[in-house]
Structures are given as C-alpha cells and as structure tokens.
Amino acid sequence: MERAASAGDRDAPGGIFDSGLGGVTVLRAVLERLPAENLVYLGDNARVPYGTRSPRTVLAYARSCAARLRQHDIKLLVVACNTVSAVALDMLAVELDIPVLGVIGPGARAGIRASPGGRIGVVATAGTVDSGAYARAIGVEDSRAEAIMEPAPLLVPLAEEGWTDGEVPALVARRYLEPLVAARIDSLVLGCTHYPLLQATLERVLAELSERPVPVIDSAASSPCW
Ligand code: DGL
C-alpha cells in the first residue's frame, strides 16, 4: 500500500483520474478502504485511449486532468491510470504541491507477493509496456523477479463498450495470454485500469491455457491508500 506523505486539509476531497471509466475500479477499491473519504473522480472519456499515445501527449492530458481536479481543492491526487503513472507521475509530483500517488508500485508489489517463482506476467497498454515502469518497479522490489510484459490494447475498447464476455473477448484474451503462458509466468498483473472489467474472461482463458494455476492480480485492488 502506498501512503501519502501528508494529507493536508483532512476534510478536503481526494482527486482520482483515469483516461476513462476503468479507473472506477480504483475508486471502488479506495472507497472500500477509506469509506469516510470524500473523493472526486474524473474519467477522461473524451480522449480515451491514452495507452496508444506518445508520453508527451499523455503528460499534457494528465496536466489538464490534474488542473481540472484542483478546482475542487483536492488534498491529494490519485493517478488511477497505469499509463499516466508509468510515463508522467514523476513530472506531476514535481509540478503539484499536493501528494501524488500512482498505481505501478502497488501493482508490482502485489504481483511479486503472488508469484512463487518470480516470473510476473503483466498485461498493460503499449505506453505502459514501452515505458519499462513495471520492470523497474519489480526489479527495485525484488532483483530476482522478472516482469514479462505483453501489450493488450484491444481490451480497452472492449471494456469501454461493456463487451466483457463471450467469444470475441475470449479470442482477444487468448491472443494476449498465449505468449505469457509460453514464457511460463506464475502470476499475472492486470496493469491497466480497464482490464479488471474483463477479469472473469482473462481468468477463464488463462486457466484453459495453463497447466498450473496462475493467480490474476487486479492492480486496482492494491490501489494507493492514505
Ligand atoms: N486507463 C489506462 C491505463 O490504466 C488504459 C486505457 C487507455 O489506454 O487509456 O493504462
């Protein structure tokens, strides 16, 4: 669990943003842990997906989301989006005078805890994969563990459409999971806020492909907390 250094005005709301509706999975997890907190959520549905855009564009979008949330006098900012956490978190933390919490560290730690052999599969957006953020976070926590990354961009529009089960999501899931199973992963981190919406399908397909049980980690469930 990642904790903010200072929570400022205790009664002020916390701000959470994501590129779309996927971050509601993080919002729900935070509310379960901190039910008395007042939270303001921003889903940037107008510009989703972030995961296929350049780091520079993602940073520009992240700055505008943060500025919009600051109009609510938020006491801290949770970056629910893995892509923003991967490419823009450090910059936001430098630029804002409130605590800024991301999701990569908590997700990486949960993956390590669930992985007996240290072969942690991570499905994420192309932007998150290209950033190397999960590999770095996993390496910092456990130098013997390895992140095996697979970009899974088509899961984002499926989640946004609410098309989370049936033949098409299962075929897409199979296409992304086959290389990870071939690489003998022993845990799978859902490194994108949208993917937990397809968790049942991903778990079923993974069980079909694997000879042994592979735990699936919803990175939202190990979200930041303060
Ligand atoms: N919310 C993004 C993330 O967690 C995924 C969706 C997108 O591509 O915008 O990485």
Side-chain angles (χ1 to χ4, degrees), residues 18-23 47-53 80-85 103 124-126 128 153 156 160 191-195 219:
D18 184 42
S19 59
L21 66 79
R47 297 185 293 198
V48 69
Y50 283 19
T52 51
R53 301 185 198 271
C81 181
N82 285 255
T83 308
V84 175
S85 294
V103 291
T125 66
T128 300
V156 175
E160 287 280 332
C192 169
T193 50
H194 286 67
Y195 300 172
S219 60

Side-chain angles (χ1 to χ4, degrees), residues 188-205:
L188 177 71
V189 175
L190 306 182
C192 169
T193 50
H194 286 67
Y195 300 172
L197 300 169
L198 288 117
Q199 186 159 350
T201 296
L202 289 161
E203 282 179 339
R204 187 164 40 76
V205 172

